[in-house]
Amino acid sequence: MTDIAKFLRKLRIDNEQSLGDMAKVLNISAAYLSAIENGKRTAPEELKDALFANYGLSEEQKLEFARLVAESRNKVEIGLAGIQDKELLPEYVDTAVMFAHDLSQMNRDQLARVKELLQEIKSQVASM
């Protein structure tokens, strides 16, 4: 059983839902959800969005599920639609592209430093 399957099944059980019930909430077919759970299909980004919108997940659960989706797809997408200051769009794009390119070249210590910095920034934004 895949990690994404474990996550989804636990969520279904915790919410006392059948596969069909969860599929209906997520607006996908039960067969498609079953295929995701069985590792036969990758989870689309829309599944993550629907899950977040319909289930009261903690920030930790959201991060874990986003990681599982990215791992299942072997990629991470960075959406730019929510950027409020459109004048900064070029800087956001440049930073995202640099980050995606340079991430694969970082060692464990460098990744830990970047993660720590991002967590610090997230904390500062949350306290504003």
Side-chain angles (χ1 to χ4, degrees):
M1 181 183 298
T2 65
D3 289 339
I4 202 164
K6 290 176 190 173
F7 185 99
L8 290 170
R9 286 184 184 167
K10 181 178 180 338
L11 186 62
R12 277 196 296 112
I13 290 167
D14 289 349
N15 285 280
E16 299 177 354
Q17 291 182 313
S18 68
L19 185 80
D21 293 337
M22 180 178 253
K24 186 179 245 183
V25 169
L26 298 175
N27 200 30
I28 59 175
S29 72
Y32 190 56
L33 181 56
S34 177
I36 292 168
E37 286 192 359
N38 291 306
K40 295 178 182 173
R41 299 287 303 263
T42 59
E45 286 294 318
E46 295 80 26
L47 178 68
K48 181 181 71 174
D49 298 336
L51 201 76
F52 292 0
N54 291 289
Y55 293 91
L57 302 179
S58 69
E59 287 302 313
E60 185 177 311
Q61 289 173 309
K62 288 178 181 180
L63 185 59
E64 178 185 358
F65 191 73
R67 180 184 56 79
L68 294 172
V69 169
E71 286 177 359
S72 76
R73 299 174 58 81
N74 287 325
K75 69 178 184 177
V76 175
E77 293 182 13
I78 300 174
L80 301 172
I83 296 172
Q84 303 300 318
D85 188 344
K86 298 301 180 190
E87 288 181 22
L88 289 177
L89 186 61
E91 285 84 355
Y92 281 108
V93 173
D94 290 347
T95 303
V97 170
M98 276 180 57
F99 193 73
H101 177 266
D102 293 340
L103 189 64
S104 65
Q105 299 174 25
M106 292 182 193
N107 64 37
R108 179 169 274 136
D109 291 338
Q110 291 167 327
L111 288 170
R113 285 178 33 214
V114 169
K115 183 177 177 182
E116 185 179 301
L117 178 61
L118 292 172
Q119 288 171 330
E120 181 182 319
I121 291 168
K122 186 175 181 178
S123 293
Q124 290 172 357
V125 169
S127 66
M128 293 177 125

